[in-house]
Amino acid sequence: MGRRPVTVRLARWSAEHPWRAIALWVVFVAVCFVGGSAAGLNEATDEDQAIGEFGQAQLIVDSGGFDRPATENVLITARSGSLDQTAAKAAAQDAADRLRQVDGVASIGTPMPSRDGSALLVPITMSGDPGTAGDRVQPLRDTTAKVQDAHPQLRVEQVGGPSIDKALDDTLGKDFKRAELLSLPVTLAILIIAFGALIAAGVPVLLALSSVAAAMGLSTLASHLVPATDTTASVILLIGMAVGVDYSLFYVRREREERAKGRSGLDAVEIAAETSGHAVVVSGTAVIISMGGLLLAQDAIFSSLAVGSILVVAVAVIGSLTVLPALLAKLGRWVDRPRVPLLWRLTAPRTGQSARPRFWPAVLKPALRAPVATLLISVALLLALAAPALGMKLKFPGPEDVPRTTAAMQAYDRLTAAFPSNGTSHTVAVRAPAEQADRVRAALTDLAGRTAADPLFAPAEADGPEIQVSADRRVSVLEVATPHASRSDEASRSLHELREDLVPATLGGIPGVEYAVGGGVAASEDYAAHIWAKLPIVAAFVLALTFLVMAWTFRSVVVALTSILLNLLSAGAAYGLLVLVFQSTWAEGLLGFTSMDAIVTWLPLFLFVVLFGLSMDYHVFVVSRIREAVDRGMPNREAVAHGITSSAGVVTSAAVVMVAVFSIFATLSMIDFKQLGIGLAAAILLDATIIRAVVLPSVMTLLGDANWWAPRFMRRRAVVAPAVEPPPAPAPELVGVR
């Protein structure tokens, strides 16, 4: 017999030296975590994240070295009817007097009435770092609350960037705490149902959590090469728990099956390594390739997510090949303790006649009996579900998409109604030689006058436009407000009018001038264009490398091609479902959101690579079981039936865990997380049911022996069948199905 695969040799050593393997794993996780903490996190800067003209505008503004302190406002309005101006001025004076005594307040501006007299606004300038203003704004809010108590006949509210940031942080903090509290017990509960034993259920969670801890430390170290963003840790947790539980589930389930057949503990671990361990390596490689595709997006956020995801998947694969065999060898039959009586009887591994499942053979009957009709119907349904994706629109969520359950957002609505210039605005950033500063100011003043006469923009300020000029007179900035919501067509048209007409007409003739239009609307449009441009490149990279890995792993071009097509079908159906749910209004009450008539800009690219990677977990595991049966001489039709029925339990359990955890994200307040949760949960559900139980068996039954065709150079080394007992004969209802 030739040299055993490295997965088997690693598992064998770990199983023979369990305490050493466990100790080495603990040391590895501790060193990674402590080393990362000591190195500190290097976060991405604005320059790292500059995309399109919006990014150019941001860099121009940053180069001006402006002192841009955080600002807040006290908004005074009537509770009903018209505003009593005398009472409002008294409340404004009271607010100003009290706030001047609060630590963190640099200055109080002159109260400003709205054009229609419905509101009075007291501007506040905060001291200190603007980046931490949200953490320091609570004393100001408490003071404003006291002013409200002193003037109950009026509505006195505080609103501004720091207040909104604080309110959102509080909301998201509660959301994530609830998600964390739910996800772990939900995962454990599903694994207990899958295994019927507490220790067997705890092992996958233990490996997943330790993999996440190690990857967190490694990603912190890696941030000094690829700067990190504030979403990296969340994605590491999400991906790490998904693949960590999956890989352990595949491995533990196979080891238990082999022990149930009478194998010794060491032999069962070795066979699990040769079969499920090999599948874990292949699926882990597929996930790493998918996540690596994000690096081609040339985007600091996606690069950070790619590095974090690659690290956590690599660590999970290493753990499943080393410490997991050691744990299983050390636990032995204790892995099936303590047993949950009823669940154990339902889930315990069986051999012989009792091992034949009944549910999945019934599900597979149509695919095995009439593969052409089953394939056509199922693919047609999935394509119909994917069709709405052709109308997908991409936008960033705006302030209007933030839940109105917080007082800060309710106050924001009243602020923008009374003072339109405090709502959506475009940033016109200009850089020119210092000697052109006067011409730049005149041009920006002319620009402000032109926009004031256009209904796409907010009316002019009474005291003229506020133009900021840097100390060296090289950078000038003008904020051009629009009364329309940031995601509205009118806001988009106002941006294009500035970029294509007004700004070039007023600034284009100045020698040496450089200008760009930024702001929230620009960020949304530019990032959407960036995603549409990069998605084909990333997809082509992921598809090409995944094809090569699958073709070489299974020594079959046909298997590789069908793998790609099935995963594309699954991703397309998930996209279509997202559009159906979130670009329409019918599900608003059901899921608790307000439709933004678009999909969050970053989601399609991220969703594609995550789904393509995670879907390969199931595909590799199922096709590996089919290939095992074929290599032992089983006819193709029976091999397909055996491979899917023998893997159905573990694939279903893994899918249920993922769907349950991802569904928790759909309960969060922010529309980003709702779309992410629904997209991931729906895609995994479709993949584990229709794709694996209907489309895959139909295709493989229809192709027959052609499934395993490959060019001669790929067949130079025969695939060695794993050293396992022949499987039980197929269930009677599957034998002879034509």
Side-chain angles (χ1 to χ4, degrees):
M1 181 179 292
R3 188 173 177 83
R4 308 293 282 170
V6 66
T7 56
V8 178
R9 285 183 276 131
L10 277 174
R12 184 86 188 189
W13 184 89
S14 297
E16 290 176 342
H17 308 88
W19 286 120
R20 293 184 192 177
I22 293 170
L24 286 172
W25 179 255
V26 172
V27 169
F28 169 71
V29 173
V31 168
C32 290
F33 191 78
V34 173
S37 300
L41 187 68
N42 177 38
E43 296 190 76
T45 63
D46 288 341
E47 185 174 358
D48 295 323
Q49 302 182 64
I51 297 291
E53 188 173 338
F54 160 78
Q56 183 186 358
Q58 186 65 48
L59 294 179
I60 291 175
V61 173
D62 290 346
S63 70
F66 293 103
D67 180 18
R68 309 190 84 176
T71 59
E72 281 285 297
N73 303 280
V74 173
L75 179 67
I76 302 171
T77 56
R79 292 192 175 276
S80 61
S82 59
L83 180 65
D84 183 336
Q85 296 297 324
T86 302
K89 290 177 181 177
Q93 186 62 50
D94 186 15
D97 292 341
R98 292 175 187 255
L99 285 166
R100 286 192 182 95
Q101 310 304 315
V102 177
D103 186 31
V105 173
S107 64
I108 306 293
T110 302
M112 298 183 298
S114 63
R115 285 179 175 273
D116 60 4
S118 64
L120 191 64
L121 192 69
V122 181
I124 307 166
T125 301
M126 294 182 65
S127 59
D129 182 5
T132 63
D135 300 327
R136 299 180 286 105
V137 77
Q138 190 57 46
L140 283 71
R141 298 173 71 188
D142 293 340
T143 302
T144 301
K146 293 177 182 177
V147 177
Q148 172 66 88
D149 292 340
H151 303 270
Q153 75 278 17
L154 300 171
R155 183 187 287 114
V156 182
E157 305 169 287
Q158 187 169 320
V159 59
S163 290
I164 293 174
D165 288 344
K166 171 66 174 173
L168 290 180
D169 287 345
D170 290 345
T171 300
L172 287 175
K174 292 176 184 176
D175 280 352
F176 280 120
K177 184 173 290 186
R178 184 176 72 250
E180 291 169 1
L181 290 175
L182 286 174
S183 60
L184 193 58
V186 165
T187 300
L188 272 173
I190 294 169
L191 290 174
I192 290 170
I193 294 172
F195 286 116
L198 298 185
I199 293 179
V203 167
V205 175
L206 183 63
L207 177 65
L209 289 175
S210 61
S211 299
V212 168
M216 289 282 193
L218 290 174
S219 69
T220 303
L221 291 171
S223 70
H224 294 275
L225 297 175
V226 179
T229 62
D230 54 5
T231 56
T232 306
S234 299
V235 170
I236 288 176
L237 180 61
L238 183 73
I239 301 298
M241 289 301 295
V243 299
V245 168
D246 267 13
Y247 297 163
S248 302
L249 194 57
F250 296 161
Y251 206 108
V252 174
R253 194 68 170 257
R254 187 58 182 262
E255 190 267 350
R256 293 171 85 220
E257 287 179 15
E258 297 304 325
R259 279 196 291 105
K261 294 175 183 177
R263 302 279 185 182
S264 68
L266 196 58
D267 287 343
V269 167
E270 186 170 337
I271 293 169
E274 191 168 2
T275 53
S276 293
H278 177 70
V280 164
V281 172
V282 175
S283 64
T285 302
V287 177
I288 288 172
I289 288 172
S290 293
M291 295 301 175
L294 289 176
L295 295 170
L296 297 179
Q298 297 179 329
D299 180 325
I301 295 175
F302 284 132
S303 295
S304 174
L305 297 183
V307 170
S309 301
I310 288 169
L311 288 172
V312 76
V313 172
V315 171
V317 170
I318 293 170
S320 69
L321 299 179
T322 55
V323 71
L324 184 57
L327 284 172
L328 293 176
K330 196 63 187 173
L331 289 169
R333 296 192 178 276
W334 274 97
V335 76
D336 293 329
R337 302 287 194 280
R339 298 171 178 174
V340 181
L342 176 61
L343 294 177
W344 173 256
R345 287 196 295 272
L346 294 173
T347 61
R350 296 175 176 84
T351 57
Q353 188 73 18
S354 63
R356 295 172 181 165
R358 297 180 180 179
F359 173 75
W360 286 104
V363 172
L364 288 173
K365 269 187 179 180
L368 300 177
R369 179 175 295 163
V372 175
T374 304
L375 180 63
L376 290 176
I377 293 171
S378 57
V379 169
L381 289 173
L382 288 170
L383 288 176
L385 187 57
L390 297 175
M392 182 185 291
K393 294 181 286 186
L394 300 183
K395 292 183 180 179
F396 272 151
E400 59 270 35
D401 300 306
V402 178
R404 261 43 187 180
T405 53
T406 61
M409 293 313 303
Q410 294 167 10
Y412 174 81
D413 289 339
R414 285 186 276 270
L415 172 68
T416 54
F419 299 89
S421 61
N422 282 278
T424 305
S425 65
H426 307 293
T427 302
V428 180
V430 186
R431 183 161 50 202
E435 59 269 20
Q436 302 295 334
D438 292 336
R439 289 189 63 181
V440 170
R441 174 176 283 277
L444 290 177
T445 302
D446 181 26
L447 174 62
R450 296 190 189 196
T451 59
D454 191 326
L456 287 175
F457 301 96
E461 295 290 343
D463 53 354
E466 182 181 348
I467 301 172
Q468 290 183 290
V469 181
S470 63
D472 62 4
R473 293 169 53 82
R474 296 183 65 248
V475 177
S476 302
V477 179
L478 171 67
E479 295 291 335
V480 179
T482 172
H484 306 289
S486 62
R487 284 191 293 96
S488 66
D489 292 338
E490 292 83 0
S492 179
R493 286 202 300 272
S494 69
L495 171 68
H496 289 290
E497 187 167 328
L498 278 173
R499 284 182 168 179
E500 298 165 13
D501 183 15
L502 296 176
V503 171
T506 54
L507 291 164
I510 300 175
V513 73
E514 176 188 357
Y515 55 80
V517 181
V521 181
S524 180
E525 299 235 342
D526 292 351
Y527 205 73
H530 173 74
I531 293 297
W532 286 127
K534 297 300 182 183
L535 184 56
I537 298 172
V538 173
F541 171 84
V542 172
L543 294 176
L545 285 192
T546 303
F547 176 86
L548 293 176
V549 169
M550 296 295 288
W552 191 254
T553 298
F554 292 104
R555 295 295 192 268
S556 169
V557 172
V558 178
V559 165
L561 183 60
T562 54
S563 301
I564 297 296
L565 293 176
L566 293 188
N567 280 334
L568 283 175
L569 195 59
S570 176
Y575 283 168
L577 188 63
L578 271 179
V579 172
L580 279 175
V581 172
F582 290 102
Q583 284 188 199
S584 303
T585 58
W586 64 271
E588 288 180 332
L590 182 65
L591 297 175
F593 72 95
T594 299
S595 175
M596 56 185 285
D597 192 34
I599 303 302
V600 176
T601 311
W602 55 266
L603 192 59
L605 182 56
F606 182 70
L607 199 61
F608 177 83
V609 297
V610 171
L611 292 181
F612 215 86
L614 296 183
S615 295
M616 277 299 172
D617 281 358
Y618 307 140
H619 195 84
V620 169
F621 191 70
V622 173
V623 176
S624 295
R625 298 299 289 260
I626 296 172
R627 184 72 201 219
E628 285 179 35
V630 169
D631 288 342
R632 289 194 296 267
M634 184 178 288
N636 182 76
R637 192 183 302 266
E638 283 80 9
V640 171
H642 168 72
I644 292 177
T645 54
S646 62
S647 61
V650 65
V651 168
T652 301
S653 300
V656 170
V657 170
M658 282 199 193
V659 170
V661 172
F662 293 153
S663 296
I664 293 173
F665 278 76
T667 67
L668 303 186
S669 302
M670 303 301 291
I671 191 70
D672 314 52
F673 296 109
K674 284 186 182 293
Q675 291 189 5
L676 177 64
I678 293 294
L680 289 173
I684 296 298
L685 186 61
L686 287 170
D687 193 76
T689 53
I690 297 177
I691 297 292
R692 304 302 161 209
V694 181
V695 182
L696 176 64
S698 299
V699 169
M700 297 195 76
T701 300
L702 187 63
L703 292 173
D705 292 338
N707 281 305
W708 314 108
W709 180 86
R712 184 176 299 275
F713 75 91
M714 291 180 62
R715 290 178 278 163
R716 66 181 181 271
R717 184 179 65 180
V719 179
V720 179
V724 296
E725 294 177 343
E733 57 266 38
L734 293 178
V735 176
V737 173
R738 296 290 181 264

